[in-house]
Amino acid sequence: MSDDGAGGRKPRADVVRNRAIILQTAQQHFQLHGVGTSLEAVAKDAGVGPATLYRHFPTREALLAGVLQLRSEELLVRQSQIAAVADADEALKQWMRALEDYFSTYSGLPEPLMVAAREREPGNPLTLPCEELIRTTEHYLTEAQRAGQVEDWVKGYDLFLAANSMAWIKSTGAGDETSLPGLRKMIENGYRRP
Amino acid sequence: MSDDGAGGRKPRADVVRNRAIILQTAQQHFQLHGVGTSLEAVAKDAGVGPATLYRHFPTREALLAGVLQLRSEELLVRQSQIAAVADADEALKQWMRALEDYFSTYSGLPEPLMVAAREREPGNPLTLPCEELIRTTEHYLTEAQRAGQVEDWVKGYDLFLAANSMAWIKSTGAGDETSLPGLRKMIENGYRRP
DNA sequence: ACCTGAACACCGTTCAAGT
DNA sequence: ACCTGAACACCGTTCAAGT
């Protein structure tokens, strides 16, 4: 499960400290300047050389995946809240909002997630979290379909794309307070059984 | 109407030639490498210095707007084809596809268009074409609403965002042959009157 | 008035040298 | 084994010098 070190027993103290400070700093920079922020600035702000950052996280996606892992707990909290919802259609709706919020955590996050969702190759570190999100979406979707509240032709992947698109619209700044609900209404009316 | 020169009478021959070759080269590079392509490479390939490109098109958006103007004729062709469609709902549907195709001409085009659609300021050269597209969308929408085929709460801007999102999904590579029609179906079912 | 190419700043990525 | 900072390559943007 550990993605650092060469399989040895005891990871050196400075290594785990560096990894932690890099992740923490990256999280702040992503929050402030979006996922396209300068990695050089992250390294400098974390007090490490650029090569150290690259050793820990070979690609920007790897760093992003590491940061997102810190945020995954919040999603579990949302899921436990949704578990208390009796109506399957309402549960699906709330999960869609949770997805949308999750995708909106950092500016520019939707794009790499979309790319990772396409290429199912394990080379991309974002593929795994994406697949998990799609699986969860399929779960809520199936429940709603079993209750006869959602059309049978709807797929979990479609809803994943839809939620991601909503976050992207928010990310670009388009989509004011009136247009976003309008879009949501269109999507919801589109998949719900009349 | 002319956006080049200092309002003088006769633009110099090399100026118009440079502008033409820059636009043509940029069009090819956008097509091959997306709208985020290297402007330096465009200038070099066009046989001009980088400063010449900047003089003609001070921002990447200005260059993009110039290139898109070349493509605007195709959109007019689509409109004339749609004019032959009797059913207002079908006309709207076809216009949505035309929009989606237009947004898909270059990889990465949806994003700057979204930004331009938000900031209505005339500083962004893409604002004008965006507003025109939204106006046209409102036209087809109003017709369909007048025919009682589309919900009253739907707005032209919402459909503009939806078509742009579809193009964005295509642009990222996600959205295979099954998921894109699924999303379209969701959106169409969402705004159509049952 | 316009063009040119050099110059500057910034960033991603890698490598030789340290500990 | 890991870290460091210098080094390289690339690109956007501007400026002094040309015509």
Side-chain angles (χ1 to χ4, degrees):
Chain A
M1 270 298 178
S2 83
D3 46 353
D4 215 13
R9 288 291 157 81
K10 294 180 184 174
R12 248 165 56 177
D14 56 341
V15 171
V16 303
R17 197 175 53 229
N18 272 338
R19 182 186 160 87
I21 187 87
I22 287 172
L23 280 178
Q24 188 180 329
T25 310
Q27 200 273 335
Q28 293 169 358
H29 281 242
F30 285 161
Q31 193 120 38
L32 281 174
H33 311 108
V35 302
T37 192
S38 160
L39 297 186
E40 191 190 12
V42 171
K44 187 179 295 180
D45 208 24
V48 300
T52 302
L53 191 151
Y54 274 85
R55 171 171 286 275
H56 280 270
F57 306 99
T59 65
R60 178 177 243 105
E61 281 73 30
L63 180 58
L64 198 49
V67 170
L68 285 181
Q69 212 165 4
L70 301 176
R71 290 264 156 155
S72 63
E73 308 172 11
E74 304 176 18
L75 217 52
L76 290 177
V77 172
R78 293 289 283 263
Q79 279 187 255
S80 67
Q81 289 172 349
I82 296 177
V85 176
D87 188 34
D89 181 46
E90 178 64 23
L92 176 59
K93 216 194 303 188
Q94 287 194 23
W95 170 250
M96 288 291 283
R97 285 303 294 264
L99 261 186
E100 193 183 316
D101 291 344
Y102 180 76
F103 294 148
S104 300
T105 25
Y106 306 117
S107 164
L109 176 58
E111 176 139 345
L113 288 183
M114 283 298 249
V115 175
R118 172 191 53 167
E119 25 166 278
R120 295 292 184 121
E121 299 155 22
N124 193 324
L126 291 173
T127 298
L128 201 69
C130 269
E131 285 184 341
E132 203 173 320
L133 292 176
I134 295 172
R135 253 199 309 274
T136 307
T137 308
E138 283 167 349
H139 163 71
Y140 290 112
L141 171 63
T142 307
E143 291 297 313
Q145 283 172 330
R146 197 166 294 179
Q149 292 170 302
V150 167
E151 300 277 1
D152 287 332
W153 50 264
V154 177
K155 292 187 193 104
Y157 187 61
D158 297 347
L159 295 181
F160 174 85
L161 294 183
N164 208 341
S165 298
M166 292 295 297
W168 175 71
I169 293 173
K170 257 195 277 185
S171 191
T172 61
D176 39 22
E177 301 79 25
T178 57
S179 55
L180 282 176
L183 277 170
R184 265 189 223 107
K185 198 171 174 180
M186 274 174 44
I187 292 171
E188 287 171 6
N189 287 5
Y191 66 68
R192 281 230 208 91
R193 184 158 282 174
Chain B
M1 275 294 180
S2 84
D3 48 353
D4 215 16
R9 289 294 158 77
K10 293 180 183 174
R12 248 164 56 176
D14 56 341
V15 172
V16 304
R17 196 176 53 230
N18 273 339
R19 181 186 161 88
I21 187 86
I22 287 174
L23 279 178
Q24 187 181 331
T25 310
Q27 200 272 334
Q28 293 169 359
H29 280 241
F30 285 159
Q31 194 120 38
L32 282 175
H33 311 110
V35 301
T37 192
S38 162
L39 297 184
E40 191 189 13
V42 170
K44 187 178 294 179
D45 207 26
V48 300
T52 302
L53 190 151
Y54 275 84
R55 171 170 287 273
H56 280 270
F57 306 99
T59 65
R60 179 176 240 104
E61 282 72 32
L63 179 58
L64 197 49
V67 170
L68 284 181
Q69 213 166 5
L70 301 176
R71 290 264 156 155
S72 64
E73 306 172 13
E74 305 176 18
L75 216 51
L76 290 176
V77 172
R78 293 289 282 263
Q79 279 186 254
S80 69
Q81 289 171 349
I82 296 177
V85 177
D87 188 34
D89 181 48
E90 177 64 22
L92 176 59
K93 216 195 305 190
Q94 287 194 22
W95 170 250
M96 287 290 284
R97 287 301 295 264
L99 261 187
E100 194 183 314
D101 292 343
Y102 180 75
F103 294 147
S104 302
T105 22
Y106 307 116
S107 164
L109 177 59
E111 177 139 344
L113 288 184
M114 283 298 247
V115 176
R118 172 189 52 166
E119 26 165 277
R120 294 291 184 119
E121 298 155 23
N124 193 323
L126 291 172
T127 297
L128 201 68
C130 270
E131 285 185 341
E132 203 173 320
L133 293 176
I134 295 171
R135 252 199 310 274
T136 308
T137 308
E138 284 167 348
H139 162 72
Y140 289 113
L141 171 62
T142 306
E143 291 296 316
Q145 284 173 328
R146 198 166 295 179
Q149 293 170 302
V150 167
E151 300 278 0
D152 287 332
W153 50 264
V154 177
K155 291 186 193 105
Y157 187 61
D158 298 346
L159 295 181
F160 174 85
L161 294 183
N164 208 343
S165 298
M166 292 294 297
W168 175 71
I169 294 173
K170 257 193 279 186
S171 191
T172 62
D176 40 21
E177 300 80 23
T178 57
S179 55
L180 282 177
L183 277 170
R184 264 190 222 106
K185 200 171 174 182
M186 275 174 44
I187 293 172
E188 287 172 8
N189 286 6
Y191 66 67
R192 281 231 209 90
R193 183 158 284 173

